[in-house]
């Protein structure tokens, strides 16, 4: 059964391009409630661990460099069927293939600098949320 929480990051490109406010507005307008949120800057160790599943992929090194290139916003979001609904809201990984009106279509600049992260399963949403937030930081 689908749970009602997902995890997101506003990535360094979108933060640097001034899109934090617009992206949060789109997320809230789509019916997500913010359960936890922080503005932080990943170290290489943090980013390497977060994207460990992609370790064997050719873009892993670049991805870790990119994710540490500037601050990010991390958040836990709540909505019915949150993981699937959020993936719909952000659009395809490659912004040139992301549907009109999706967050990546509007704010991403490339397949790597693609504005936001969204968990791909309930299990990963829980793991990723726990990576960033303690129980005391969720409301
Ligand atoms: P995310 O996990 O960040 O929500 P995603 O699930 O759409 O993105 P993944 O396949 O999990 O896509 O890839 C993780 C991230 O790695 C992508 O968001 C993107 O920043 C980067 N990435 C994926 N494929 C490529 C690629 N071919 N070249 C460069 N970077 C890539
Ligand atoms: Mg992914």
């Amino acid at each position: 059964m689908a749970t009602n929480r997902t995890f997101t990051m506003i990535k360094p490109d979108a933060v640097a391009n001034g899109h934090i406010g617009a992206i949060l507005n789109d997320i809230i307008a789509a019916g997500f409630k913010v359960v936890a949120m922080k503005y932080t800057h990943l170290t290489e160790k943090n980013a390497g661990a977060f994207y460990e599943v992609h370790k064997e992929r050719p873009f892993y090194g670049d991805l870790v460099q990119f994710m540490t290139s500037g601050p990010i916003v991390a958040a836990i979001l709540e909505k019915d069927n949150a993981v699937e609904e959020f993936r719909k809201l952000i659009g395809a990984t490659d912004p040139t293939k992301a549907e009109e009106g999706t967050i990546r279509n509007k704010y991403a600049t490339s397949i790597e600098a693609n504005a936001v992260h969204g968990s791909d399963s309930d299990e990963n949403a829980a793991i990723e949320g726990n990576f960033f937030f303690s129980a005391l930081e969720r409301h």
Side-chain angles (χ1 to χ4, degrees):
M1 198 189 84
T3 59
N4 60 353
R5 286 187 179 183
T6 192
F7 170 80
T8 188
M9 287 184 282
I10 301 177
K11 296 185 180 185
D13 61 308
V15 172
N17 292 332
H19 298 314
I20 292 176
I23 290 173
L24 289 178
N25 200 47
D26 283 2
I27 290 171
I28 290 161
F32 290 87
K33 173 183 173 261
V34 175
V35 172
M37 179 170 284
K38 70 174 64 162
Y39 186 50
T40 186
H41 193 146
L42 292 171
T43 63
E44 256 184 54
K45 201 172 154 215
N46 295 151
F50 187 88
Y51 281 113
E52 182 103 47
V53 290
H54 296 309
K55 210 171 181 148
E56 305 308 323
R57 310 269 289 271
F59 58 80
Y60 177 74
D62 281 350
L63 177 60
V64 170
Q65 285 313 305
F66 164 62
M67 287 303 295
T68 58
S69 65
I72 58 133
V73 176
I76 296 173
L77 304 172
E78 193 166 85
K79 186 183 181 177
D80 284 350
N81 199 19
V83 167
E84 200 184 321
E85 289 292 304
F86 193 71
R87 298 285 303 197
K88 264 192 242 159
L89 178 67
I90 67 179
T93 308
D94 178 351
T96 65
K97 297 186 179 127
E99 250 182 78
E100 188 79 26
T102 58
I103 290 177
R104 282 170 168 165
N105 167 261
K106 292 201 279 186
Y107 308 113
T109 50
S110 70
I111 190 166
E112 178 179 76
N114 61 2
V116 281
H117 165 80
S119 303
D120 59 12
S121 67
D122 289 341
E123 189 192 359
N124 285 335
I127 292 169
E128 292 168 3
N130 291 338
F131 186 86
F132 280 88
F133 299 101
S134 74
L136 287 173
E137 294 172 309
R138 299 165 195 228
H139 312 284

